[in-house]
PDB file of all heavy atoms in Angstrom:
ATOM      1  N   LEU A  68      87.320 117.952  88.204  1.00 93.00           N
ATOM      2  CA  LEU A  68      87.825 118.131  89.519  1.00 93.00           C
ATOM      3  C   LEU A  68      88.852 117.181  89.857  1.00 93.00           C
ATOM      4  O   LEU A  68      89.938 117.429  90.416  1.00 93.00           O
ATOM      5  CB  LEU A  68      86.652 118.146  90.605  1.00 93.00           C
ATOM      6  CG  LEU A  68      87.156 118.314  92.065  1.00 93.00           C
ATOM      7  CD1 LEU A  68      87.965 119.568  92.276  1.00 93.00           C
ATOM      8  CD2 LEU A  68      86.024 118.234  93.060  1.00 93.00           C
ATOM      9  N   ALA A  69      88.574 115.841  89.567  1.00 92.00           N
ATOM     10  CA  ALA A  69      89.569 114.739  89.868  1.00 92.00           C
ATOM     11  C   ALA A  69      90.745 114.987  88.985  1.00 92.00           C
ATOM     12  O   ALA A  69      91.899 114.611  89.500  1.00 92.00           O
ATOM     13  CB  ALA A  69      88.839 113.375  89.724  1.00 92.00           C
ATOM     14  N   GLY A  70      90.457 115.283  87.643  1.00 91.00           N
ATOM     15  CA  GLY A  70      91.584 115.434  86.834  1.00 91.00           C
ATOM     16  C   GLY A  70      92.571 116.509  87.286  1.00 91.00           C
ATOM     17  O   GLY A  70      93.839 116.452  87.212  1.00 91.00           O
ATOM     18  N   LEU A  71      92.043 117.590  87.693  1.00 94.00           N
ATOM     19  CA  LEU A  71      92.785 118.716  88.236  1.00 94.00           C
ATOM     20  C   LEU A  71      93.608 118.403  89.473  1.00 94.00           C
ATOM     21  O   LEU A  71      94.766 118.592  89.568  1.00 94.00           O
ATOM     22  CB  LEU A  71      91.908 119.902  88.518  1.00 94.00           C
ATOM     23  CG  LEU A  71      92.567 121.120  89.102  1.00 94.00           C
ATOM     24  CD1 LEU A  71      93.633 121.706  88.140  1.00 94.00           C
ATOM     25  CD2 LEU A  71      91.577 122.183  89.400  1.00 94.00           C
ATOM     26  N   ALA A  72      92.894 117.594  90.356  1.00 92.00           N
ATOM     27  CA  ALA A  72      93.640 117.050  91.449  1.00 92.00           C
ATOM     28  C   ALA A  72      94.772 116.193  91.156  1.00 92.00           C
ATOM     29  O   ALA A  72      95.870 116.194  91.725  1.00 92.00           O
ATOM     30  CB  ALA A  72      92.602 116.414  92.602  1.00 92.00           C
ATOM     31  N   MET A  73      94.584 115.264  90.232  1.00 91.00           N
ATOM     32  CA  MET A  73      95.674 114.331  89.808  1.00 91.00           C
ATOM     33  C   MET A  73      96.806 115.127  89.043  1.00 91.00           C
ATOM     34  O   MET A  73      98.049 114.765  89.260  1.00 91.00           O
ATOM     35  CB  MET A  73      95.166 113.296  88.803  1.00 91.00           C
ATOM     36  CG  MET A  73      94.189 112.305  89.501  1.00 91.00           C
ATOM     37  SD  MET A  73      95.050 111.370  90.757  1.00 91.00           S
ATOM     38  CE  MET A  73      96.265 110.545  89.727  1.00 91.00           C
ATOM     39  N   ALA A  74      96.386 116.143  88.364  1.00 91.00           N
ATOM     40  CA  ALA A  74      97.387 117.003  87.735  1.00 91.00           C
ATOM     41  C   ALA A  74      98.265 117.654  88.746  1.00 91.00           C
ATOM     42  O   ALA A  74      99.664 117.708  88.563  1.00 91.00           O
ATOM     43  CB  ALA A  74      96.749 118.082  86.778  1.00 91.00           C
ATOM     44  N   VAL A  75      97.724 118.258  89.715  1.00 92.00           N
ATOM     45  CA  VAL A  75      98.465 118.821  90.721  1.00 92.00           C
ATOM     46  C   VAL A  75      99.415 117.771  91.566  1.00 92.00           C
ATOM     47  O   VAL A  75     100.565 118.184  91.824  1.00 92.00           O
ATOM     48  CB  VAL A  75      97.556 119.497  91.780  1.00 92.00           C
ATOM     49  CG1 VAL A  75      98.402 119.976  93.107  1.00 92.00           C
ATOM     50  CG2 VAL A  75      96.880 120.669  91.212  1.00 92.00           C
ATOM     51  N   THR A  76      98.703 116.567  91.671  1.00 89.00           N
ATOM     52  CA  THR A  76      99.601 115.641  92.312  1.00 89.00           C
ATOM     53  C   THR A  76     100.844 115.227  91.570  1.00 89.00           C
ATOM     54  O   THR A  76     101.946 114.892  92.150  1.00 89.00           O
ATOM     55  CB  THR A  76      98.741 114.302  92.609  1.00 89.00           C
ATOM     56  OG1 THR A  76      97.598 114.717  93.379  1.00 89.00           O
ATOM     57  CG2 THR A  76      99.482 113.173  93.306  1.00 89.00           C
ATOM     58  N   LEU A  77     100.606 115.148  90.293  1.00 87.00           N
ATOM     59  CA  LEU A  77     101.785 114.703  89.381  1.00 87.00           C
ATOM     60  C   LEU A  77     102.839 115.909  89.387  1.00 87.00           C
ATOM     61  O   LEU A  77     104.076 115.645  89.151  1.00 87.00           O
ATOM     62  CB  LEU A  77     101.187 114.539  87.969  1.00 87.00           C
ATOM     63  CG  LEU A  77     100.669 113.269  87.567  1.00 87.00           C
ATOM     64  CD1 LEU A  77     100.014 113.240  86.191  1.00 87.00           C
ATOM     65  CD2 LEU A  77     101.772 112.162  87.643  1.00 87.00           C
ATOM     66  N   ALA A  78     102.351 117.167  89.466  1.00 88.00           N
ATOM     67  CA  ALA A  78     103.335 118.281  89.545  1.00 88.00           C
ATOM     68  C   ALA A  78     104.042 118.322  90.753  1.00 88.00           C
ATOM     69  O   ALA A  78     105.084 119.071  90.906  1.00 88.00           O
ATOM     70  CB  ALA A  78     102.542 119.625  89.231  1.00 88.00           C
ATOM     71  N   LEU A  79     103.658 117.717  91.971  1.00 88.00           N
ATOM     72  CA  LEU A  79     104.407 117.771  93.161  1.00 88.00           C
ATOM     73  C   LEU A  79     105.725 117.143  93.132  1.00 88.00           C
ATOM     74  O   LEU A  79     105.921 116.093  92.454  1.00 88.00           O
ATOM     75  CB  LEU A  79     103.503 117.141  94.341  1.00 88.00           C
ATOM     76  CG  LEU A  79     102.266 117.954  94.733  1.00 88.00           C
ATOM     77  CD1 LEU A  79     101.373 117.173  95.643  1.00 88.00           C
ATOM     78  CD2 LEU A  79     102.641 119.273  95.254  1.00 88.00           C
ATOM     79  N   PRO A  80     106.753 117.555  93.768  1.00 87.00           N
ATOM     80  CA  PRO A  80     107.994 116.968  93.767  1.00 87.00           C
ATOM     81  C   PRO A  80     107.914 115.608  94.395  1.00 87.00           C
ATOM     82  O   PRO A  80     107.079 115.284  95.166  1.00 87.00           O
ATOM     83  CB  PRO A  80     108.936 117.911  94.654  1.00 87.00           C
ATOM     84  CG  PRO A  80     107.999 118.702  95.443  1.00 87.00           C
ATOM     85  CD  PRO A  80     106.676 118.841  94.591  1.00 87.00           C
ATOM     86  N   ASN A  81     108.807 114.722  93.913  1.00 83.00           N
ATOM     87  CA  ASN A  81     108.861 113.435  94.614  1.00 83.00           C
ATOM     88  C   ASN A  81     109.326 113.352  95.933  1.00 83.00           C
ATOM     89  O   ASN A  81     109.798 114.481  96.519  1.00 83.00           O
ATOM     90  CB  ASN A  81     109.911 112.410  93.819  1.00 83.00           C
ATOM     91  CG  ASN A  81     109.592 112.310  92.370  1.00 83.00           C
ATOM     92  OD1 ASN A  81     108.403 112.374  91.930  1.00 83.00           O
ATOM     93  ND2 ASN A  81     110.631 112.098  91.503  1.00 83.00           N
ATOM     94  N   THR A  82     108.792 112.421  96.730  1.00 85.00           N
ATOM     95  CA  THR A  82     109.077 112.319  98.215  1.00 85.00           C
ATOM     96  C   THR A  82     109.951 111.116  98.533  1.00 85.00           C
ATOM     97  O   THR A  82     109.823 110.105  97.878  1.00 85.00           O
ATOM     98  CB  THR A  82     107.870 112.432  98.892  1.00 85.00           C
ATOM     99  OG1 THR A  82     108.183 112.620 100.345  1.00 85.00           O
ATOM    100  CG2 THR A  82     107.099 111.222  98.759  1.00 85.00           C
ATOM    101  N   THR A  83     110.606 111.171  99.573  1.00 81.00           N
ATOM    102  CA  THR A  83     111.373 109.867 100.150  1.00 81.00           C
ATOM    103  C   THR A  83     110.541 109.395 101.140  1.00 81.00           C
ATOM    104  O   THR A  83     110.118 110.036 102.091  1.00 81.00           O
ATOM    105  CB  THR A  83     112.711 110.450 100.632  1.00 81.00           C
ATOM    106  OG1 THR A  83     113.556 110.998  99.491  1.00 81.00           O
ATOM    107  CG2 THR A  83     113.426 109.065 101.147  1.00 81.00           C
ATOM    108  N   VAL A  84     110.351 108.018 101.080  1.00 81.00           N
ATOM    109  CA  VAL A  84     109.570 107.382 102.136  1.00 81.00           C
ATOM    110  C   VAL A  84     110.281 106.312 102.858  1.00 81.00           C
ATOM    111  O   VAL A  84     111.209 105.651 102.288  1.00 81.00           O
ATOM    112  CB  VAL A  84     108.384 106.630 101.435  1.00 81.00           C
ATOM    113  CG1 VAL A  84     107.518 105.782 102.446  1.00 81.00           C
ATOM    114  CG2 VAL A  84     107.460 107.678 100.695  1.00 81.00           C
ATOM    115  N   ARG A  85     110.264 106.384 104.136  1.00 75.00           N
ATOM    116  CA  ARG A  85     111.086 105.499 105.045  1.00 75.00           C
ATOM    117  C   ARG A  85     110.268 104.178 104.938  1.00 75.00           C
ATOM    118  O   ARG A  85     109.150 104.097 105.537  1.00 75.00           O
ATOM    119  CB  ARG A  85     111.198 106.021 106.455  1.00 75.00           C
ATOM    120  CG  ARG A  85     112.077 107.296 106.572  1.00 75.00           C
ATOM    121  CD  ARG A  85     112.283 107.705 108.020  1.00 75.00           C
ATOM    122  NE  ARG A  85     110.990 108.103 108.673  1.00 75.00           N
ATOM    123  CZ  ARG A  85     110.564 109.377 108.490  1.00 75.00           C
ATOM    124  NH1 ARG A  85     111.168 110.313 107.839  1.00 75.00           N
ATOM    125  NH2 ARG A  85     109.402 109.650 109.057  1.00 75.00           N
ATOM    126  N   THR A  86     110.932 103.152 104.545  1.00 69.00           N
ATOM    127  CA  THR A  86     110.165 101.910 104.466  1.00 69.00           C
ATOM    128  C   THR A  86     109.870 101.199 105.886  1.00 69.00           C
ATOM    129  O   THR A  86     108.987 100.455 106.006  1.00 69.00           O
ATOM    130  CB  THR A  86     111.083 100.887 103.736  1.00 69.00           C
ATOM    131  OG1 THR A  86     112.302 100.671 104.220  1.00 69.00           O
ATOM    132  CG2 THR A  86     111.065 101.308 102.201  1.00 69.00           C
ATOM    133  N   ALA A  87     110.677 101.648 106.926  1.00 64.00           N
ATOM    134  CA  ALA A  87     110.416 101.091 108.220  1.00 64.00           C
ATOM    135  C   ALA A  87     109.067 101.459 108.615  1.00 64.00           C
ATOM    136  O   ALA A  87     108.408 100.768 109.300  1.00 64.00           O
ATOM    137  CB  ALA A  87     111.528 101.559 109.090  1.00 64.00           C
ATOM    138  N   GLY A  88     108.658 102.727 108.343  1.00 55.00           N
ATOM    139  CA  GLY A  88     107.322 103.138 108.740  1.00 55.00           C
ATOM    140  C   GLY A  88     106.170 102.427 108.067  1.00 55.00           C
ATOM    141  O   GLY A  88     105.067 102.539 108.622  1.00 55.00           O
ATOM    142  N   LEU A  89     106.471 101.748 107.008  1.00 59.00           N
ATOM    143  CA  LEU A  89     105.470 101.010 106.344  1.00 59.00           C
ATOM    144  C   LEU A  89     105.407  99.664 106.564  1.00 59.00           C
ATOM    145  O   LEU A  89     104.510  98.889 106.039  1.00 59.00           O
ATOM    146  CB  LEU A  89     105.626 101.226 104.793  1.00 59.00           C
ATOM    147  CG  LEU A  89     105.550 102.715 104.364  1.00 59.00           C
ATOM    148  CD1 LEU A  89     105.700 102.694 102.828  1.00 59.00           C
ATOM    149  CD2 LEU A  89     104.251 103.328 104.589  1.00 59.00           C
ATOM    150  N   GLY A  90     106.426  99.042 107.374  1.00 54.00           N
ATOM    151  CA  GLY A  90     106.454  97.762 107.792  1.00 54.00           C
ATOM    152  C   GLY A  90     106.897  96.781 106.552  1.00 54.00           C
ATOM    153  O   GLY A  90     106.521  95.681 106.599  1.00 54.00           O
ATOM    154  N   LEU A  91     107.714  97.486 105.669  1.00 51.00           N
ATOM    155  CA  LEU A  91     108.214  96.670 104.471  1.00 51.00           C
ATOM    156  C   LEU A  91     109.483  95.938 104.842  1.00 51.00           C
ATOM    157  O   LEU A  91     110.199  96.457 105.772  1.00 51.00           O
ATOM    158  CB  LEU A  91     108.333  97.651 103.276  1.00 51.00           C
ATOM    159  CG  LEU A  91     107.113  98.295 102.814  1.00 51.00           C
ATOM    160  CD1 LEU A  91     107.408  99.359 101.741  1.00 51.00           C
ATOM    161  CD2 LEU A  91     106.028  97.228 102.394  1.00 51.00           C
ATOM    162  N   ALA A  92     109.951  95.125 104.023  1.00 50.00           N
ATOM    163  CA  ALA A  92     111.188  94.385 104.205  1.00 50.00           C
ATOM    164  C   ALA A  92     112.232  95.427 103.888  1.00 50.00           C
ATOM    165  O   ALA A  92     112.065  96.359 103.063  1.00 50.00           O
ATOM    166  CB  ALA A  92     111.333  93.280 103.112  1.00 50.00           C
ATOM    167  N   GLY A  93     113.355  95.181 104.469  1.00 47.00           N
ATOM    168  CA  GLY A  93     114.553  96.190 104.342  1.00 47.00           C
ATOM    169  C   GLY A  93     114.214  97.408 105.241  1.00 47.00           C
ATOM    170  O   GLY A  93     114.539  98.494 104.788  1.00 47.00           O
ATOM    171  N   ALA A  94     113.840  97.208 106.487  1.00 45.00           N
ATOM    172  CA  ALA A  94     113.607  98.327 107.312  1.00 45.00           C
ATOM    173  C   ALA A  94     114.917  99.131 107.409  1.00 45.00           C
ATOM    174  O   ALA A  94     116.046  98.670 107.555  1.00 45.00           O
ATOM    175  CB  ALA A  94     113.225  97.809 108.728  1.00 45.00           C
ATOM    176  N   GLY A  95     114.709 100.390 107.530  1.00 50.00           N
ATOM    177  CA  GLY A  95     115.722 101.522 107.630  1.00 50.00           C
ATOM    178  C   GLY A  95     116.174 101.960 106.217  1.00 50.00           C
ATOM    179  O   GLY A  95     116.859 102.989 106.202  1.00 50.00           O
ATOM    180  N   ASN A  96     115.674 101.318 105.170  1.00 72.00           N
ATOM    181  CA  ASN A  96     116.036 101.850 103.874  1.00 72.00           C
ATOM    182  C   ASN A  96     115.044 102.989 103.554  1.00 72.00           C
ATOM    183  O   ASN A  96     113.883 103.118 104.191  1.00 72.00           O
ATOM    184  CB  ASN A  96     115.847 100.813 102.815  1.00 72.00           C
ATOM    185  CG  ASN A  96     117.017  99.794 103.066  1.00 72.00           C
ATOM    186  OD1 ASN A  96     118.142 100.155 103.554  1.00 72.00           O
ATOM    187  ND2 ASN A  96     116.770  98.510 102.670  1.00 72.00           N
ATOM    188  N   GLU A  97     115.293 103.695 102.502  1.00 74.00           N
ATOM    189  CA  GLU A  97     114.352 104.791 101.924  1.00 74.00           C
ATOM    190  C   GLU A  97     114.187 104.632 100.510  1.00 74.00           C
ATOM    191  O   GLU A  97     115.132 104.158  99.834  1.00 74.00           O
ATOM    192  CB  GLU A  97     115.084 106.176 102.380  1.00 74.00           C
ATOM    193  CG  GLU A  97     115.027 106.536 103.879  1.00 74.00           C
ATOM    194  CD  GLU A  97     115.567 107.816 104.107  1.00 74.00           C
ATOM    195  OE1 GLU A  97     116.173 108.436 103.169  1.00 74.00           O
ATOM    196  OE2 GLU A  97     115.486 108.318 105.229  1.00 74.00           O
ATOM    197  N   ILE A  98     112.954 104.989 100.100  1.00 77.00           N
ATOM    198  CA  ILE A  98     112.802 104.837  98.624  1.00 77.00           C
ATOM    199  C   ILE A  98     112.175 106.251  98.147  1.00 77.00           C
ATOM    200  O   ILE A  98     111.563 106.971  98.932  1.00 77.00           O
ATOM    201  CB  ILE A  98     111.818 103.744  98.171  1.00 77.00           C
ATOM    202  CG1 ILE A  98     110.503 103.856  98.819  1.00 77.00           C
ATOM    203  CG2 ILE A  98     112.505 102.398  98.427  1.00 77.00           C
ATOM    204  CD1 ILE A  98     109.539 102.765  98.468  1.00 77.00           C
ATOM    205  N   GLU A  99     112.522 106.638  96.886  1.00 76.00           N
ATOM    206  CA  GLU A  99     111.847 107.869  96.422  1.00 76.00           C
ATOM    207  C   GLU A  99     110.722 107.411  95.420  1.00 76.00           C
ATOM    208  O   GLU A  99     110.760 106.684  94.637  1.00 76.00           O
ATOM    209  CB  GLU A  99     112.860 108.580  95.577  1.00 76.00           C
ATOM    210  CG  GLU A  99     112.364 109.983  95.148  1.00 76.00           C
ATOM    211  CD  GLU A  99     113.458 110.706  94.315  1.00 76.00           C
ATOM    212  OE1 GLU A  99     114.561 110.207  94.211  1.00 76.00           O
ATOM    213  OE2 GLU A  99     113.143 111.690  93.707  1.00 76.00           O
ATOM    214  N   ILE A 100     109.541 108.231  95.851  1.00 80.00           N
ATOM    215  CA  ILE A 100     108.340 107.791  94.928  1.00 80.00           C
ATOM    216  C   ILE A 100     107.635 109.114  94.525  1.00 80.00           C
ATOM    217  O   ILE A 100     107.719 110.130  95.254  1.00 80.00           O
ATOM    218  CB  ILE A 100     107.296 107.009  95.668  1.00 80.00           C
ATOM    219  CG1 ILE A 100     106.752 107.654  96.869  1.00 80.00           C
ATOM    220  CG2 ILE A 100     107.880 105.622  96.099  1.00 80.00           C
ATOM    221  CD1 ILE A 100     105.668 107.055  97.535  1.00 80.00           C
ATOM    222  N   PRO A 101     106.918 109.224  93.318  1.00 83.00           N
ATOM    223  CA  PRO A 101     106.061 110.230  93.000  1.00 83.00           C
ATOM    224  C   PRO A 101     104.770 110.101  93.846  1.00 83.00           C
ATOM    225  O   PRO A 101     104.332 109.006  94.251  1.00 83.00           O
ATOM    226  CB  PRO A 101     105.801 109.992  91.529  1.00 83.00           C
ATOM    227  CG  PRO A 101     106.751 109.063  91.104  1.00 83.00           C
ATOM    228  CD  PRO A 101     107.188 108.091  92.251  1.00 83.00           C
ATOM    229  N   LEU A 102     104.185 111.204  94.313  1.00 84.00           N
ATOM    230  CA  LEU A 102     103.042 111.307  95.149  1.00 84.00           C
ATOM    231  C   LEU A 102     101.739 110.683  94.546  1.00 84.00           C
ATOM    232  O   LEU A 102     100.742 110.436  95.164  1.00 84.00           O
ATOM    233  CB  LEU A 102     102.810 112.626  95.780  1.00 84.00           C
ATOM    234  CG  LEU A 102     103.874 112.880  96.857  1.00 84.00           C
ATOM    235  CD1 LEU A 102     103.653 114.466  97.146  1.00 84.00           C
ATOM    236  CD2 LEU A 102     103.727 112.040  98.001  1.00 84.00           C
ATOM    237  N   PHE A 103     101.817 110.432  93.105  1.00 82.00           N
ATOM    238  CA  PHE A 103     100.561 109.759  92.581  1.00 82.00           C
ATOM    239  C   PHE A 103     100.531 108.281  92.872  1.00 82.00           C
ATOM    240  O   PHE A 103      99.580 107.647  92.608  1.00 82.00           O
ATOM    241  CB  PHE A 103     100.574 110.001  91.025  1.00 82.00           C
ATOM    242  CG  PHE A 103     101.582 109.285  90.138  1.00 82.00           C
ATOM    243  CD1 PHE A 103     101.371 107.950  89.993  1.00 82.00           C
ATOM    244  CD2 PHE A 103     102.713 109.806  89.823  1.00 82.00           C
ATOM    245  CE1 PHE A 103     102.251 107.291  89.222  1.00 82.00           C
ATOM    246  CE2 PHE A 103     103.644 109.235  89.071  1.00 82.00           C
ATOM    247  CZ  PHE A 103     103.507 107.846  88.829  1.00 82.00           C
ATOM    248  N   PHE A 104     101.613 107.798  93.577  1.00 83.00           N
ATOM    249  CA  PHE A 104     101.557 106.421  94.040  1.00 83.00           C
ATOM    250  C   PHE A 104     100.614 106.210  95.191  1.00 83.00           C
ATOM    251  O   PHE A 104     100.369 105.122  95.491  1.00 83.00           O
ATOM    252  CB  PHE A 104     102.948 106.038  94.456  1.00 83.00           C
ATOM    253  CG  PHE A 104     103.843 105.427  93.301  1.00 83.00           C
ATOM    254  CD1 PHE A 104     103.575 105.909  91.986  1.00 83.00           C
ATOM    255  CD2 PHE A 104     104.937 104.567  93.561  1.00 83.00           C
ATOM    256  CE1 PHE A 104     104.398 105.451  90.964  1.00 83.00           C
ATOM    257  CE2 PHE A 104     105.561 104.042  92.582  1.00 83.00           C
ATOM    258  CZ  PHE A 104     105.458 104.474  91.234  1.00 83.00           C
ATOM    259  N   LEU A 105     100.119 107.356  95.686  1.00 88.00           N
ATOM    260  CA  LEU A 105      99.132 107.013  96.853  1.00 88.00           C
ATOM    261  C   LEU A 105      97.991 106.287  96.353  1.00 88.00           C
ATOM    262  O   LEU A 105      97.395 106.545  95.136  1.00 88.00           O
ATOM    263  CB  LEU A 105      98.577 108.545  97.297  1.00 88.00           C
ATOM    264  CG  LEU A 105      99.543 109.427  97.856  1.00 88.00           C
ATOM    265  CD1 LEU A 105      98.969 110.781  98.340  1.00 88.00           C
ATOM    266  CD2 LEU A 105     100.238 108.818  99.233  1.00 88.00           C
ATOM    267  N   PRO A 106      97.464 105.255  97.188  1.00 89.00           N
ATOM    268  CA  PRO A 106      96.390 104.375  96.714  1.00 89.00           C
ATOM    269  C   PRO A 106      95.146 105.179  96.329  1.00 89.00           C
ATOM    270  O   PRO A 106      94.415 104.693  95.591  1.00 89.00           O
ATOM    271  CB  PRO A 106      96.125 103.553  97.978  1.00 89.00           C
ATOM    272  CG  PRO A 106      97.498 103.504  98.678  1.00 89.00           C
ATOM    273  CD  PRO A 106      98.112 104.817  98.431  1.00 89.00           C
ATOM    274  N   SER A 107      94.930 106.411  96.966  1.00 88.00           N
ATOM    275  CA  SER A 107      93.624 107.138  96.609  1.00 88.00           C
ATOM    276  C   SER A 107      93.806 107.566  95.253  1.00 88.00           C
ATOM    277  O   SER A 107      92.584 107.852  94.610  1.00 88.00           O
ATOM    278  CB  SER A 107      93.593 108.333  97.574  1.00 88.00           C
ATOM    279  OG  SER A 107      94.779 109.187  97.427  1.00 88.00           O
ATOM    280  N   SER A 108      94.926 107.602  94.528  1.00 88.00           N
ATOM    281  CA  SER A 108      94.888 108.099  93.027  1.00 88.00           C
ATOM    282  C   SER A 108      94.185 107.104  92.226  1.00 88.00           C
ATOM    283  O   SER A 108      93.626 107.409  91.116  1.00 88.00           O
ATOM    284  CB  SER A 108      96.390 108.228  92.646  1.00 88.00           C
ATOM    285  OG  SER A 108      96.942 109.202  93.392  1.00 88.00           O
ATOM    286  N   ALA A 109      93.988 105.761  92.589  1.00 90.00           N
ATOM    287  CA  ALA A 109      93.395 104.781  91.936  1.00 90.00           C
ATOM    288  C   ALA A 109      91.882 105.023  91.561  1.00 90.00           C
ATOM    289  O   ALA A 109      91.287 104.582  90.722  1.00 90.00           O
ATOM    290  CB  ALA A 109      93.580 103.387  92.362  1.00 90.00           C
ATOM    291  N   VAL A 110      91.399 105.827  92.466  1.00 91.00           N
ATOM    292  CA  VAL A 110      89.912 106.214  92.489  1.00 91.00           C
ATOM    293  C   VAL A 110      89.593 107.015  91.313  1.00 91.00           C
ATOM    294  O   VAL A 110      88.458 107.162  90.831  1.00 91.00           O
ATOM    295  CB  VAL A 110      89.547 106.963  93.843  1.00 91.00           C
ATOM    296  CG1 VAL A 110      88.092 107.398  93.741  1.00 91.00           C
ATOM    297  CG2 VAL A 110      89.747 106.024  95.030  1.00 91.00           C
TER     298      VAL A 110
END
């Protein structure tokens, strides 16, 4: 079940994340990340 969920996550298109919403340096910038970067994936 976890492997299938990770496979679906890997298949999802990359997303653009606004760094300002995350409180990171360089506010106003945007970065593109795969969604398996979610911390829950480490579980």
Side-chain angles (χ1 to χ4, degrees):
L68 175 62
L71 178 61
M73 289 299 299
V75 172
T76 303
L77 278 171
L79 292 174
N81 298 335
T82 186
T83 300
V84 178
R85 294 184 297 272
T86 57
L89 300 177
L91 299 176
N96 295 330
E97 295 180 346
I98 58 174
E99 183 181 353
I100 64 170
L102 284 172
F103 72 82
F104 272 27
L105 294 176
S107 58
S108 298
V110 178

